[in-house]
């Protein structure tokens, strides 16, 4: 007996008494987790984009020396809706409004600053900061007071960092519930279509829902001691998607075994044993790939990787040790009305088997054509830009983005995000003069030095929006030019510099982590196949498929979302999900081909394995694509782009790579001198490639 431990566990999980004990034990653990962790505060996205050790973070720290550094501010953008010039009476009305706001709210408002064309006015509202939540509440109160008290015909909008933060948090108000509802709805519909049973779909859905809730509670518990910040919506999508995939794989194998066994418990035990390696291998691949995100510099990326890795371990455990005893207690009739029985062998190939058989007849031509299609799609990456402007972060208009766009039409856009330069004492004038001559700088003003360190402080106003390529070029130029000032040792900070440092850190994370993810997938495929050559070819195929998905997604996204670039977070997150999750389906199919090839020639094994796994891989792919598409229901651009790219990539994997490309690849690998897998078995050659027809009567629909 090859796996006595697995056999013992499988028999225990499926026996009459063992199934009840496993189920009671699992429910006891779930109740304990729910009871102990339900009161834990939910983890949130990071409220800061500062990168530890960056120039912008150092500037932010040093600015705490200023007596009024505890103040926060927002911009009031005022003008006529029809953009008529503001006259003296209008300015007096604005001053009256600002005085009223200052008496009703704990803030100070500056005098109106008129644009050169006289069509727009800026007022700065400042107050003593009381933390992120307090500042956002004050902005909310400010907007309400403006809405109630403004009867002058002005259009007054509030912008600035606290306003952007408020609008960002508002986009997620109720979003987790909406996302969860959409995700559950998609999974339920697809499970019903897959099983065509009024009962069966409920069981995996309940198990995955319990896994999702448990994963969220445990992730929240981990977030406190590990200081993790992440998007809980992405965690739920991943747990639902991957968890449903594992359930589909196990139940599909169970249905196959029911056509071979009269005892449903023996069939389930056999299905569990035969599915265990594929589920564990694919799960560990994704978990280890996600764990590499712990090396990320950016807080949200690091937190998401750790939380999702824990969540997927929980999803796999729930399917292996909770779903199995549940299915054992339900019995064969849970598949009603299409109850599988030993006498229901179908004598024709499935659609997927026919496709595989057609592909392997001319593998070189078909493989070349498929690879060419993927290369063409991947070539779109050459025209893909990375990095969104601040006003492009939202898919729908917000007050802060609208106000920022109005400012850009009438003022130097840099007014909304001044750059702060700190330099050694005595170099302030030289730094100011040098900064004024840097392309993209509107003006530079020397401000009072810091009180304790005596560092010189220069405020620089640029002509580009935060997050734009022009703003990044400005920061690079400033840092480069100011370093030439003797003895200055400048530090360039401020909102634009923060965005630049965060952008560079995201690119750094991709450069460091992406190769590690590829290495993880390569090693896991090597373990599954037992042959490094096969694992390397499969890894390269998976990498090409991921590149094609990002290229295709960026093209469609530019039209669907009306943006010319991807958010800087998207490449790494899309890469880890596409590569790691894409390997899932490769492992599912490879594991089945490996099992079948021990009993028949390779070409017959390929057709048989593709035929038997085609339905489950297709169902799993559609489910996973569907749940990631649910991210598009959220109004944040990064999640919309991520959902679109990963959803398209999963469909590309499902219908092109696993169904067509891999069968052709396996048959060509089988014609080489060394075996495809790590054992000696029947080897396919051009002379004996007709054995496919021999197994047609054994292949199930």
């Amino acid at each position: 007996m090859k796996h006595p431990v697995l056999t013992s566990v499988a028999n225990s999980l499926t026996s009459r008494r063992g199934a009840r004990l496993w189920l009671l034990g699992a429910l006891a653990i779930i109740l304990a987790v729910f009871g102990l962790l339900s009161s834990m505060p939910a983890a949130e996205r990071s409220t800061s984009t500062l990168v530890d050790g960056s120039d912008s973070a150092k500037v932010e720290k040093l600015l705490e020396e200023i007596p009024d550094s505890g103040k926060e501010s927002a911009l009031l953008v005022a003008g006529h809706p029809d953009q008529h010039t503001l006259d003296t009476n209008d300015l007096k009305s604005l001053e009256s409004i600002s005085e009223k706001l200052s008496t009703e709210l704990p803030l100070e408002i500056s005098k109106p600053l008129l644009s050169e064309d006289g069509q727009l006015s800026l007022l700065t509202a400042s107050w003593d900061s009381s933390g992120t939540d307090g500042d956002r509440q004050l902005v909310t109160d400010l907007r309400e007071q403006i809405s109630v008290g403004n009867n002058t015909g002005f259009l007054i909008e509030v912008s600035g960092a606290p306003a952007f933060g408020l609008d960002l948090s508002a986009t997620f108000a109720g979003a987790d519930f909406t996302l969860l509802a959409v995700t559950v709805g998609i999974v339920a519909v697809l499970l019903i279509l897959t099983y065509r049973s009024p009962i069966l779909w409920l069981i995996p859905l309940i198990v995955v829902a319990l896994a999702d809730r448990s994963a969220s509670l445990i992730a929240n518990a981990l977030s406190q001691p590990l200081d993790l910040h992440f998007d809980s919506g992405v965690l739920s999508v991943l747990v639902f998607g991957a968890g449903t995939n594992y359930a589909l794989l196990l139940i599909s194998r169970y249905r196959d075994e029911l056509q071979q066994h009269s005892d449903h418990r023996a069939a389930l035990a056999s299905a569990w044993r035969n599915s265990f390696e594929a589920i564990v291998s694919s799960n560990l691949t994704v978990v280890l790939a996600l764990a590499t995100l712990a090396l990320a510099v950016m807080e949200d990326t690091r937190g998401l990787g750790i939380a999702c890795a824990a969540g997927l371990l929980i999803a796999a455990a729930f399917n292996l040790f909770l779903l199995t005893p549940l299915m054992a207690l339900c019995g064969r009739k849970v598949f009603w009305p299409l109850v599988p029985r030993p006498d229901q062998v179908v004598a024709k190939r499935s659609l997927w088997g026919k496709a595989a058989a057609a592909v392997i007849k001319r593998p070189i031509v078909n493989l070349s054509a498929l690879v060419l299609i993927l290369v063409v799609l991947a070539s779109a990456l050459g025209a893909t830009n990375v990095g969104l402007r601040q006003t492009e972060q939202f898919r729908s208009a917000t007050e802060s983005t609208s106000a920022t766009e109005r400012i850009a039409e009438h003022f130097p856009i840099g007014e909304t995000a001044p750059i702060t330069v700190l330099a050694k004492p005595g170099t302030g004038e030289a730094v100011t003069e040098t900064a004024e001559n840097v392309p993209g700088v509107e003006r530079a003003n020397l401000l009072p030095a810091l009180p304790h360190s005596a560092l010189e402080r220069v405020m620089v106003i640029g002509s580009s929006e935060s997050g734009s390529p022009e703003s990044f070029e400005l920061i690079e130029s400033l840092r480069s030019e100011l370093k030439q000032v003797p003895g200055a040792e400048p530090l360039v900070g401020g909102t634009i510099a923060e965005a630049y440092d965060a952008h560079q850190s995201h690119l750094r994370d991709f450069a460091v982590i992406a190769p590690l993810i590829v290495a993880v997938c390569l090693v896991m495929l090597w373990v599954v196949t037992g042959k490094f050559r096969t694992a390397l070819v499969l890894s390269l195929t998976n990498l090409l498929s991921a590149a094609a998905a990002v290229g295709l997604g960026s093209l469609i996204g530019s039209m669907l979302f009306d943006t010319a670039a991807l958010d800087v977070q998207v490449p790494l997150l899309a890469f880890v999900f596409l590569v790691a999750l894409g390997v899932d389906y490769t492992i599912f199919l490879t594991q089945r081909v490996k099992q079948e090839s021990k009993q028949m020639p390779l070409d017959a094994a390929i057709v048989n394995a593709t035929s038997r796994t085609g339905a489950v891989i297709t169902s799993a792919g559609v489910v996973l694509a569907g749940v990631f598409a649910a991210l598009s229901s959220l109004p944040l651009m990064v999640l919309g782009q991520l959902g679109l790219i990963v959803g398209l990539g999963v469909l590309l994997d499902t219908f092109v790579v696993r169904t067509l490309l891999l069968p052709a690849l396996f048959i060509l690998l089988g014609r080489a001198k060394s075996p495809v897998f790590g054992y000696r078995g029947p080897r396919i050659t051009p002379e004996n490639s007709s054995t496919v027809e021999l197994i047609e009567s054994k292949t199930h629909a």
Side-chain angles (χ1 to χ4, degrees), residues 220-305:
N220 291 338
L222 291 175
S223 68
Q224 300 300 315
L226 299 180
D227 191 27
L228 302 181
H229 299 274
F230 57 88
D231 192 321
S232 57
V234 176
L235 172 62
S236 289
V237 163
L238 198 58
V239 171
F240 259 96
T244 305
N245 280 0
Y246 302 146
L248 285 168
L249 180 66
L250 178 61
I251 294 174
S252 173
R253 191 61 185 254
Y254 178 34
R255 183 162 48 189
D256 283 350
E257 296 294 340
L258 284 172
Q259 294 177 330
Q260 307 295 326
H261 296 79
S262 58
D263 181 2
H264 76 88
R265 297 183 186 276
L268 184 56
S270 177
W272 191 90
R273 286 195 306 271
N274 288 316
S275 302
F276 181 84
E277 185 177 350
I279 291 175
V280 171
S281 298
S282 61
N283 178 257
L284 288 180
T285 302
V286 184
V287 167
L288 292 175
L290 287 167
T292 62
L293 295 180
L295 301 176
V297 171
M298 301 306 297
E299 284 187 352
D300 282 342
T301 304
R302 182 170 63 250
L304 185 65

Side-chain angles (χ1 to χ4, degrees), residues 147-223:
S147 174
V148 172
N150 180 22
N151 55 6
T152 60
F154 289 124
L155 174 60
I156 304 177
E157 295 176 314
V158 182
S159 184
F164 268 101
L166 174 63
D167 290 340
L168 180 62
S169 64
T171 61
F172 285 95
D176 286 344
F177 176 79
T178 301
L179 181 62
L180 185 61
V182 172
T183 301
V184 171
I186 290 172
V187 171
V189 169
L190 292 175
L191 285 176
I192 292 172
L193 293 176
T194 299
Y195 294 129
R196 288 170 290 174
S197 167
I199 304 169
L200 179 57
W201 66 274
L202 273 171
I203 298 175
L205 184 62
I206 291 171
V207 170
V208 176
L210 289 172
D212 171 61
R213 181 57 181 160
S214 300
S216 296
L217 292 175
I218 291 174
N220 291 338
L222 291 175
S223 68

Side-chain angles (χ1 to χ4, degrees), residues 235-462:
L235 172 62
S236 289
V237 163
L238 198 58
V239 171
F240 259 96
T244 305
N245 280 0
Y246 302 146
L248 285 168
L249 180 66
L250 178 61
I251 294 174
S252 173
R253 191 61 185 254
Y254 178 34
R255 183 162 48 189
D256 283 350
E257 296 294 340
L258 284 172
Q259 294 177 330
Q260 307 295 326
H261 296 79
S262 58
D263 181 2
H264 76 88
R265 297 183 186 276
L268 184 56
S270 177
W272 191 90
R273 286 195 306 271
N274 288 316
S275 302
F276 181 84
E277 185 177 350
I279 291 175
V280 171
S281 298
S282 61
N283 178 257
L284 288 180
T285 302
V286 184
V287 167
L288 292 175
L290 287 167
T292 62
L293 295 180
L295 301 176
V297 171
M298 301 306 297
E299 284 187 352
D300 282 342
T301 304
R302 182 170 63 250
L304 185 65
I306 297 172
C308 288
L312 286 191
L313 285 174
I314 293 168
F318 270 61
N319 276 284
L320 289 171
F321 302 109
L322 176 58
L323 177 62
T324 304
L326 268 176
M327 295 298 294
L329 293 175
C330 291
R332 188 189 303 266
K333 292 182 180 179
V334 75
F335 288 91
W336 183 87
L338 304 175
V339 181
R341 300 187 183 281
D343 57 349
Q344 292 178 342
V345 178
V346 182
K348 64 178 183 179
R349 295 180 191 153
S350 70
L351 175 65
W352 298 276
K354 292 178 180 178
V359 166
I360 65 176
K361 288 180 179 179
R362 302 180 66 186
I364 296 177
V365 174
N366 290 316
L367 181 63
S368 300
L370 293 169
V371 169
L372 180 61
I373 292 173
L374 295 180
V375 169
V376 170
L377 293 176
S379 65
L381 289 174
T384 301
N385 297 317
V386 176
L388 296 177
R389 301 170 187 269
Q390 191 176 42
T391 53
E392 294 175 331
Q393 300 292 332
F394 303 94
R395 290 177 54 197
S396 55
T398 65
E399 183 171 332
S400 55
T401 56
S402 173
T404 302
E405 290 170 353
R406 291 173 67 198
I407 293 172
E409 294 174 359
H410 303 278
F411 287 93
I413 188 62
E415 296 282 0
T416 63
I419 300 167
T420 299
V421 179
L422 299 182
K424 290 295 183 180
T427 62
E429 292 184 1
V431 167
T432 303
E433 184 179 346
T434 302
E436 287 177 334
N437 295 321
V438 173
V441 171
E442 291 289 331
R443 69 175 189 274
N445 299 324
L446 182 61
L447 302 178
L450 299 185
H452 300 302
S453 62
L455 289 175
E456 302 280 11
R457 182 162 56 115
V458 179
M459 182 180 70
V460 178
I461 301 298

Side-chain angles (χ1 to χ4, degrees), residues 648-697:
L648 288 173
V650 169
L651 293 178
L652 196 64
D653 272 337
T654 302
F655 291 103
V656 177
V657 177
R658 313 309 158 207
T659 304
L660 303 174
L661 194 150
L662 286 188
L665 195 59
F666 279 132
I667 206 72
L668 291 177
L669 288 171
R671 291 179 178 177
K673 293 182 179 180
S674 62
V676 178
F677 304 109
Y679 60 86
R680 285 287 174 186
R683 183 168 67 86
I684 190 68
T685 65
E687 290 74 25
N688 66 2
S689 60
S690 62
T691 52
V692 173
E693 287 74 14
L694 297 179
I695 53 88
E696 181 171 357
S697 62

